[in-house]
Amino acid sequence: MNQRHIYAIAKKEWLHIIRDPMTIFLLAIGPVLMLLLISYAMATDITDVPTVIYDQDQSDLSANLVTQLDASDVLNVTDHVNNTTGYEDQLEQRKARLVVIIEDGFSDQLTTTQGLESIATSAPRFSFVIDGTDPLSAETALETAVNISGQFVRNQLNTLVEQPQTETAMLPEQRQRLRQQLRAPVDIHTTNRFNPDLKAIWDLVPAMIAVALVLPGMSISTVIARERSQGTLETLVATPISKHAILMGKAFPYVLIALLNVVLMYIVARAVFGVPFRGNLLVYFALSGLYVLATLAIGLLFSILIKSIEAALWASMMFFLFPGMLLSGMFFPVDVFPFIVKLETLELPVVSGVLINRGMFLQGVSVKDLWWNILLLLIIAVEGFEIAGRLFKKRIA
Amino acid sequence: MRSNSSNNVIEIHGLTKRFGSFTAVDHVSLQIPQGQIFGFLGPNGAGKTTTMRMVLGLLPPSEGTAIVLGNDIRKQARTIRARLGYMSQKFTLYNDLTVEENLRFYGRSYGLRNNKLKSRLDYVLDIADLKGREHYTPTQLSGGWRQRLALGAAIIHEPDIIFLDEPTAGVDPLSRRAFWELLYTISSAGTTIFITTHYMDEAEHCEQLGFIYFGRLIATGSPTEIKQKHVPGNVVQFTPEYPVKTLQVLRTAQQQGELENTSNIDLYGAQIHVLTHNGDMIRDHITALLDQQEQPYTDMQVIPPSLEDAFLRLTAAQK
Amino acid sequence: MIYRILNIAWKDLLHLWHNRLLLILVIFGAATELLIVGWATGAPVDDLKMVVVDNDQTAISEGLIEHLRQTDTLKLNEDGVDVFDNHDNEADAVHDLFTGGNFIFNPDNIMLIEIPAGFGEQLKTGQQPAIELTLNGANSLASTTARRVAEEEIYKYGTVIMVQHTFSGTESTAPTEIQILTQLEQTQPDITVKYNEELDRAHYTAPSEAAFVLYIIAIMIAAFMLAREREYGTFEQLLVMPIRPIEIIIGKAIPALLVGYANFLLVLVEMNVVFDIPVRGSLVLLLALAAGYLFVELGRGFMVAMVSRTQNQALLIIMLVAFVDITFAGYAVPVESMPRIMQLLSNLFPIRHWMIILRGILQKDVGLDILWPQLLWLMGLGIIINGITLWFFRRSLTRQE
């Protein structure tokens, strides 16, 4: 392949792109913009879940519990109700997502002898109703509420247990039993490797970089169709430039723009979002280049296979964008997908892109650890270009 | 002439269009009577399309007025739209719709329906020679047929005036002639035709012409009038063997005063034209000169001037 | 007027018909998308790989490991322990365990559990032995799930052992595992889950995807139908005809509406049949509101077309717009969890209201009495958006290049 040829085509394609300020804006700044906007909006740690209290007990103790619940970042007590319809309405209107019902007898259970007796064998005098529509936040909210309530009760009992015998109506055996119950069997220390504070933004931003980088791939999916519609395709093909050279030349400016994007997004991730980067910067850029090549290869394939511009755009959108969001591994881990779906994702460079980004930012992996994804991208890129070239010859030349 | 000059369908006064500091159309004034074939002639970029757009109401003028069918297009454009037809330079046709679908769409857009639509549809298919091709898409038709289809779409609703912007660009001469015959048919039915072109030979077909150059109207009148006014006399034409050299020789001679009574000396393809008042005398003069300068030639003759000659003369005068 | 509107609509329908391939791609592609997304996200999170380092090696610790292994969620990776031998320090070993896999055949380990020496003894005597849990933070959903399950199992097992051994009574009255667990169960608070009893994630993502699909089809088709006219120059033709700009908009909206609607119906059926998400509320209301929403979104699509010069540009703009839109719509993350200012801004996005409507009628059974704010917003936004688009139309009458 003649280098000058490739350069000539690349230059022409470059001019096409930069003469259209809109496209340049979208391709060069669009991904960064997307990164900023979406990460800011979506990387939300679950906080301020609207919670409604139905306090049947109305005691100092129950009020205390409510205060503690409200003090948590995760929950936000918005209202108190007096009956069941009260909270059911709120649930229906989405004003509340969690309802904490403190039953009559709550404080009795924690202060009187009979109450204490029953602790060992009966359910606590509080219950919960949760809106399960969004399971992810529901589970977190629930877990928090259950933990806080449980801890509250344990603290109460601990205080009781440590009171001098004279001030409590408890029998020594009771005290003993209580002491036992209060003791957690095991002390579990949990550390989160790579993301110790469980910051959602650390989780999301690297993945979002990969998703945002599919834009060049999508944009390239129309280059051939556009030349076709303008009638310049035949002229291009009549030149002595080889088909592979044409494709490479066309892809070249997109690669450059994409790499520019990578730099910009890296800066944003580090400076604006504070995401740590633990890998090797040079390796990262190299791998990003590979990733972009893979997406461009597929984009080019679409470009050649699909005649009409709209169909090309639509197909590339369905291939890159729709699955990109939910199947990329950004929100739901790919490894738990059904096997068949996993197979489908093999063709999606974005999945590897997400893993590479997460790996380099959070995990500090080296090439060795990413070999599988690298191989995948390499195959996609090389085979993609190869097939694109052959199809180009067959269909057009 | 079929025109009825007391009855102007288009009246343009001082129409001007500026884009920033660039004046595209400079105080153009015209009157076009009903039923006339009016040609707007000029090189590319002279302002023909811009003027036409203003008259159609697609572009607001910077200055001046245009009254079409008695209505000021600045304010009352909508009232007369149904009586106008337009064939634009680029694409009048929907390339993925068939001939019939295209025509039906246009017909309906102008309010034709049922029997009226059907009969007009048949009519257009007939005169455009598209019968049997109803199910083709424009891309499947060759250039000539596509243009006829576009014209058909422009007239299907029996407009009073049709505006054609470079309708024969890129079409072969045979098709072009057929196209013009179509235009004559339409014109004889009373439709006014406003056409822009940069083909001089087409301009000869028009009843009235407007020469436009760099936004200014530099001549109006019938082809004969223009020729008589701006290129009185005739043309001495011959085919030189060495066109460039011979041209230079003649021009030098003219500069030195040896060729009086001549004006423009230009290359026309493989021939040289010399404009003059006294054709015979100059012919002999030139023959002698060429022999003397050893410039071989063939086919020396005197012919009447063409519009192109007129145009070249006029544009030279502008510089 | 109606005649002219229908004329435009018919023409655009013909365009769509002549581009049948595209249409099929659009409708079935979107439906398939929904299928895959729902299926993938609804898949239970299980078989999460964990490595357990047992420094105790007693019957008790082995018992714990057995219990952990028997959960569906966790999968014991026995070879993982060997990895420790290959590294000098624990940090490196953990790094190795948590990275380097591939998601198809050999996913990374999610969790490392270390049982200290003396675990068994300490547990039996109620001395609260410590267990170290290390999670793979790069896979947040998996590690959170793994942690929850592990904590629960450890807690249950620990309680059983501890109670059994600290029980001060006779052999015959010693409580069995079942009894202990049952009692433990009883002391848990009562939890009722409403609207998505199984906490199936697909119940959240499928409607998200369905709403999104309707949105994207509407806005894309509208944008394309108009952008193509502008790009090919036939738009100018339309402006010369005796047709009002508003008639053009409505005429072009109709085919897009039809396609969007057809797709929506398909998606509803799919959700009902495949994901078991029926329409709990009023179907009629849903269909009516869907049509109204479509009109608003179509207006946006037209607006995008009016500011783009080519179809490619239109697509890129829609992409950016789409990302912003679905963020504010609560597609992946509920709006209530977002910063306050974003919650306020989200009202400006039609899709936000549509999402509320769709979820409400699908999952709850809300009626207009609750949804009226959404309706009001949609109407308001619709008037403004379509007004702006009309203004663009009229402006193009006077600003031809």
Side-chain angles (χ1 to χ4, degrees):
Chain A
M1 264 177 284
N2 191 327
Q3 253 184 335
R4 276 210 313 277
H5 286 169
I6 298 182
Y7 178 69
I9 299 274
K11 181 132 193 234
K12 173 176 96 74
E13 195 63 33
W14 175 255
L15 289 175
H16 280 310
I17 296 176
I18 63 173
R19 294 259 161 89
D20 190 12
M22 266 289 196
T23 311
I24 247 255
F25 172 80
L26 292 168
L27 277 186
I29 321 264
V32 180
L33 222 58
M34 251 177 8
L35 181 67
L36 277 168
L37 263 171
I38 294 181
S39 301
Y40 180 62
M42 290 222 225
T44 44
D45 305 297
I46 314 250
T47 56
D48 289 326
V49 176
T51 309
V52 152
I53 313 282
Y54 179 20
D55 189 353
Q56 296 171 338
D57 198 51
Q58 302 280 335
S59 62
D60 285 338
L61 226 50
S62 61
N64 258 333
L65 174 58
V66 174
T67 316
Q68 286 206 3
L69 286 168
D70 201 11
S72 148
D73 287 330
V74 177
L75 306 173
N76 180 23
V77 174
T78 52
D79 203 2
H80 292 251
V81 296
N82 299 323
N83 49 49
T84 319
T85 9
Y87 70 71
E88 272 180 12
D89 278 345
Q90 297 229 4
L91 278 177
E92 225 173 69
Q93 292 170 26
R94 288 169 308 106
K95 290 204 186 125
R97 299 241 305 282
L98 173 66
V99 181
V100 179
I101 305 172
I102 306 178
E103 293 159 29
D104 192 17
F106 173 70
S107 52
D108 283 345
Q109 193 188 42
L110 297 175
T111 46
T112 66
T113 329
Q114 304 100 298
L116 292 171
E117 275 294 303
S118 64
I119 283 200
T121 51
S122 58
R125 298 265 197 271
F126 51 83
S127 54
F128 304 93
V129 182
I130 181 85
D131 177 350
T133 314
D134 171 30
L136 291 177
S137 62
E139 282 173 350
T140 306
L142 198 58
E143 191 180 36
T144 309
V146 168
N147 283 347
I148 293 180
S149 313
Q151 193 58 40
F152 183 83
V153 168
R154 266 193 296 282
N155 287 345
Q156 266 313 105
L157 297 177
N158 265 323
T159 326
L160 274 178
V161 160
E162 298 315 317
Q163 267 179 353
Q165 184 62 41
T166 49
E167 300 198 19
T168 169
M170 269 196 292
L171 301 169
E173 313 92 71
Q174 281 177 318
R175 190 199 284 269
Q176 186 64 2
R177 257 206 308 272
L178 214 48
R179 246 201 212 102
Q180 258 176 21
Q181 259 161 257
L182 287 173
R183 196 169 289 147
V186 180
D187 183 19
I188 306 180
H189 286 165
T190 312
T191 32
N192 193 310
R193 185 69 184 258
F194 305 131
N195 189 354
D197 298 326
L198 288 177
K199 291 205 185 122
I201 232 175
W202 285 19
D203 200 43
L204 196 70
V205 167
M208 194 59 217
I209 293 180
V211 174
L213 278 177
V214 302
L215 236 52
M218 287 189 44
S219 197
I220 211 182
S221 72
T222 59
V223 286
I224 303 285
R226 262 189 295 161
E227 296 248 12
R228 210 186 245 130
S229 79
Q230 283 177 339
T232 51
L233 190 58
E234 284 176 350
T235 331
L236 193 62
V237 161
T239 63
I241 304 181
S242 83
K243 308 297 168 289
H244 282 100
I246 293 180
L247 292 179
M248 281 184 62
K250 278 192 172 298
F252 196 60
Y254 289 87
V255 176
L256 283 184
I257 296 179
L259 285 178
L260 170 70
N261 276 323
V262 173
V263 173
L264 285 174
M265 288 196 284
Y266 172 79
I267 296 176
V268 167
R270 302 280 286 125
V272 176
F273 293 117
V275 182
F277 185 84
R278 297 176 179 141
N280 179 319
L281 214 51
L282 275 166
V283 172
Y284 177 61
F285 287 126
L287 292 182
S288 300
L290 176 60
Y291 170 54
V292 169
L293 279 174
T295 59
L296 288 179
I298 299 202
L300 274 179
L301 265 180
F302 276 118
S303 184
I304 296 172
L305 285 173
I306 303 180
K307 288 222 174 92
S308 100
I309 296 185
E310 299 93 55
L313 289 171
W314 189 267
S316 69
M317 218 180 128
M318 275 188 5
F319 194 74
F320 286 120
L321 175 62
F322 289 176
M325 284 291 270
L326 287 177
L327 296 184
S328 61
M330 199 157 75
F331 298 108
F332 307 105
V334 185
D335 28 324
V336 301
F337 290 170
F339 187 65
I340 302 188
V341 180
K342 275 196 213 178
L343 283 183
E344 189 207 273
T345 64
L346 269 179
E347 335 148 315
L348 294 178
V350 69
V351 175
S352 294
V354 168
L355 290 169
I356 289 177
N357 270 284
R358 280 217 174 110
M360 298 240 86
F361 274 88
L362 295 180
Q363 294 178 323
V365 295
S366 60
V367 170
K368 179 170 68 73
D369 298 315
L370 291 171
W371 70 271
W372 159 254
N373 294 303
I374 294 175
L375 188 61
L376 207 53
L377 288 178
L378 213 54
I379 293 179
I380 294 177
V382 170
E383 274 311 301
F385 271 111
E386 194 52 38
I387 298 179
R390 263 186 279 139
L391 279 178
F392 196 19
K393 277 199 190 111
K394 213 172 72 142
R395 290 203 166 208
I396 293 158
Chain B
M1 298 278 166
R2 289 176 290 277
S3 53
N4 179 356
S5 46
S6 64
N7 189 356
N8 286 333
V9 291
I10 298 179
E11 286 194 19
I12 306 174
H13 296 291
L15 206 59
T16 307
K17 182 67 186 173
R18 289 186 207 95
F19 294 109
S21 56
F22 171 61
T23 308
V25 178
D26 195 353
H27 294 91
V28 168
S29 297
L30 284 174
Q31 277 117 39
I32 303 173
Q34 192 242 328
Q36 186 181 75
I37 303 182
F38 176 84
F40 218 27
L41 189 63
N44 290 326
K48 313 191 294 287
T49 306
T50 313
T51 308
M52 181 180 271
R53 285 255 198 77
M54 284 194 281
V55 178
L56 272 170
L58 282 173
L59 201 58
S62 308
E63 268 178 55
T65 52
I67 315 269
V68 179
L69 294 170
N71 289 279
D72 182 349
I73 45 91
R74 271 172 129 153
K75 303 175 196 120
Q76 298 155 311
R78 193 173 292 140
T79 35
I80 46 166
R81 285 228 176 96
R83 294 158 67 190
L84 305 178
Y86 177 42
M87 189 172 141
S88 78
Q89 204 173 46
K90 290 177 294 184
F91 286 96
T92 313
L93 305 167
Y94 291 98
N95 283 323
D96 54 348
L97 262 42
T98 66
V99 165
E100 181 161 341
E101 284 163 354
N102 265 294
L103 289 173
R104 276 188 191 275
F105 173 68
Y106 276 94
R108 289 201 196 101
S109 296
Y110 285 92
L112 301 182
R113 26 180 136 189
N114 304 326
N115 288 331
K116 180 76 177 171
L117 178 63
K118 178 137 181 35
S119 71
R120 286 300 296 175
L121 181 66
D122 279 339
Y123 174 73
V124 165
L125 285 172
D126 196 21
I127 62 167
D129 196 21
L130 285 166
K131 289 256 178 190
R133 294 197 174 83
E134 293 91 335
H135 301 294
Y136 281 60
T137 64
T139 38
Q140 290 167 323
L141 299 172
S142 65
W145 260 276
R146 225 179 301 155
Q147 297 309 97
R148 300 158 76 88
L149 173 61
L151 179 65
I155 60 156
I156 192 168
H157 55 290
E158 293 174 293
D160 296 326
I161 312 176
I162 53 173
F163 293 83
L164 312 174
D165 197 0
E166 314 251 356
T168 56
V171 169
D172 69 271
L174 221 56
S175 303
R176 267 207 273 148
R177 168 163 302 174
F179 185 77
W180 270 93
E181 287 186 11
L182 208 48
L183 284 183
Y184 283 135
T185 314
I186 295 168
S187 169
S188 62
T191 312
T192 310
I193 302 180
F194 185 127
I195 183 171
T196 68
T197 181
H198 57 262
Y199 289 118
M200 298 292 161
D201 55 340
E202 274 194 351
E204 301 268 6
H205 295 306
C206 301
E207 291 169 44
Q208 188 189 173
L209 285 176
F211 268 37
I212 189 163
Y213 189 63
F214 280 117
R216 289 214 304 283
L217 203 59
I218 56 179
T220 49
S222 73
T224 315
E225 281 165 9
I226 291 184
K227 279 185 268 186
Q228 277 173 352
K229 185 161 165 207
H230 299 284
V231 281
N234 2 50
V235 167
V236 174
Q237 174 186 280
F238 61 92
T239 312
E241 190 153 327
Y242 305 110
V244 179
K245 179 81 177 125
T246 310
L247 184 69
Q248 204 170 3
V249 163
L250 287 176
R251 280 196 176 147
T252 315
Q254 190 188 47
Q255 269 170 2
Q256 289 171 346
E258 284 178 26
L259 287 174
E260 288 174 16
N261 286 319
T262 62
S263 51
N264 291 47
I265 303 178
D266 294 293
L267 261 181
Y268 265 59
Q271 293 147 344
I272 289 185
H273 280 202
V274 180
L275 271 173
T276 170
H277 284 282
N278 192 336
D280 293 320
M281 182 183 96
I282 296 298
R283 180 200 52 207
D284 297 333
H285 210 111
I286 290 179
T287 312
L289 184 62
L290 291 178
D291 286 338
Q292 185 200 53
Q293 297 280 339
E294 286 168 18
Q295 299 288 325
Y297 63 88
T298 51
D299 293 328
M300 176 72 68
Q301 48 181 300
V302 178
I303 55 171
S306 71
L307 273 177
E308 192 167 357
D309 295 311
F311 197 80
L312 284 169
R313 183 94 201 284
L314 280 162
T315 55
Q318 294 288 320
K319 287 180 192 146
Chain C
M1 171 151 172
I2 299 202
Y3 190 66
R4 285 194 291 269
I5 293 178
L6 289 177
N7 187 27
I8 298 268
W10 178 246
K11 173 183 81 70
D12 278 7
L13 277 172
L14 284 176
H15 278 311
L16 285 177
W17 176 250
H18 284 291
N19 261 323
R20 283 193 292 281
L21 173 64
L22 176 65
L23 211 53
I24 293 182
L25 220 80
V26 159
I27 296 187
F28 284 103
T32 316
E33 220 26 74
L34 175 63
L35 202 68
I36 294 178
V37 161
W39 197 17
T41 58
V45 182
D46 54 12
D47 276 349
L48 300 177
K49 283 169 60 174
M50 68 172 172
V51 174
V52 185
V53 173
D54 187 357
N55 293 314
D56 192 40
Q57 308 272 341
T58 60
I60 306 273
S61 62
E62 275 157 29
L64 173 60
I65 298 181
E66 191 53 37
H67 270 78
L68 286 169
R69 178 214 289 268
Q70 278 179 1
T71 61
D72 288 326
T73 317
L74 302 170
K75 186 163 110 164
L76 183 64
N77 175 9
E78 283 161 356
D79 302 324
V81 189
D82 302 330
V83 169
F84 278 88
D85 299 332
N86 301 339
H87 294 276
D88 298 327
N89 61 62
E90 181 174 316
D92 286 344
V94 170
H95 181 103
D96 200 1
L97 285 176
F98 285 173
T99 60
N102 69 72
F103 57 87
I104 299 257
F105 302 110
N106 187 24
D108 292 329
N109 293 293
I110 300 296
M111 181 167 64
L112 169 68
I113 301 181
E114 290 168 282
I115 305 176
F119 174 76
E121 281 310 307
Q122 288 176 359
L123 186 58
K124 283 194 282 194
T125 53
Q127 285 177 59
Q128 297 183 313
I131 288 191
E132 290 283 335
L133 234 60
T134 313
L135 300 170
N136 186 344
N139 195 336
S140 61
L141 178 64
S143 51
T144 312
T145 312
R147 171 183 63 80
R148 285 201 185 121
V149 173
E151 280 178 352
E152 191 178 327
E153 278 308 309
I154 294 174
Y155 187 72
K156 288 202 307 211
Y157 182 78
T159 307
V160 168
I161 299 292
M162 190 174 79
V163 170
Q164 278 176 339
H165 288 267
T166 56
F167 178 76
S168 48
T170 62
E171 180 92 31
S172 54
T173 55
T176 64
E177 180 170 337
I178 311 256
Q179 284 176 322
I180 300 176
L181 287 176
T182 319
Q183 197 166 85
L184 202 57
E185 187 69 34
Q186 279 174 343
T187 61
Q188 297 305 311
D190 193 39
I191 299 177
T192 317
V193 181
K194 293 203 80 166
Y195 308 131
N196 179 8
E197 288 75 17
E198 283 154 65
L199 286 179
D200 181 2
R201 287 193 311 284
H203 268 244
Y204 185 79
T205 58
S208 276
E209 188 68 24
F212 177 68
V213 154
L214 183 63
Y215 155 82
I216 200 75
I217 286 186
I219 201 172
M220 282 205 89
I221 292 195
F224 275 152
M225 297 304 284
L226 192 54
R228 133 211 285 264
E229 293 239 29
R230 278 166 52 89
E231 191 174 341
Y232 292 159
T234 50
F235 189 59
E236 194 176 73
Q237 236 9 73
L238 289 180
L239 295 175
V240 168
M241 292 177 182
I243 186 169
R244 298 182 132 89
I246 190 163
E247 288 164 0
I248 300 180
I249 288 189
I250 298 180
K252 283 198 168 294
I254 292 180
L257 217 99
L258 287 176
V259 174
Y261 223 72
N263 190 70
F264 181 55
L265 292 174
L266 182 63
V267 153
L268 277 181
V269 167
E270 197 178 331
M271 279 206 291
N272 193 347
V273 169
V274 177
F275 296 110
D276 207 15
I277 307 176
V279 180
R280 282 194 198 178
S282 155
L283 182 62
V284 172
L285 182 62
L286 182 61
L287 292 178
L289 290 173
Y293 167 68
L294 274 175
F295 251 114
V296 180
E297 216 53 83
L298 290 175
R300 278 166 112 235
F302 288 141
M303 210 157 73
V304 169
M306 290 309 285
V307 302
S308 325
R309 250 174 263 145
T310 65
Q311 292 170 78
N312 199 24
Q313 230 176 57
L315 172 83
L316 286 174
I317 296 181
I318 287 185
M319 294 243 39
L320 193 58
V321 168
F323 262 110
V324 176
D325 272 351
I326 67 182
T327 305
F328 282 97
Y331 176 74
V333 170
V335 182
E336 291 86 23
S337 307
M338 295 187 196
R340 183 103 191 107
I341 183 167
M342 301 203 86
Q343 290 186 37
L344 289 172
L345 283 176
S346 74
N347 284 311
L348 295 175
F349 292 83
I351 191 175
R352 159 96 173 114
H353 302 283
W354 168 237
M355 207 59 101
I356 295 175
I357 293 174
L358 184 61
R359 276 200 215 283
I361 299 185
L362 267 184
Q363 294 162 329
K364 296 186 189 175
D365 184 9
V366 294
L368 217 47
D369 49 328
I370 298 192
L371 290 176
W372 64 264
Q374 271 56 55
L375 185 60
L376 229 59
W377 270 105
L378 280 180
M379 272 167 37
L381 288 170
I383 292 175
I384 295 178
I385 291 173
N386 282 300
I388 296 181
T389 307
L390 258 176
W391 181 76
F392 270 129
F393 262 53
R394 291 220 180 87
R395 199 170 73 119
S396 74
L397 276 172
T398 56
R399 98 181 235 297
Q400 287 295 318
E401 272 101 341

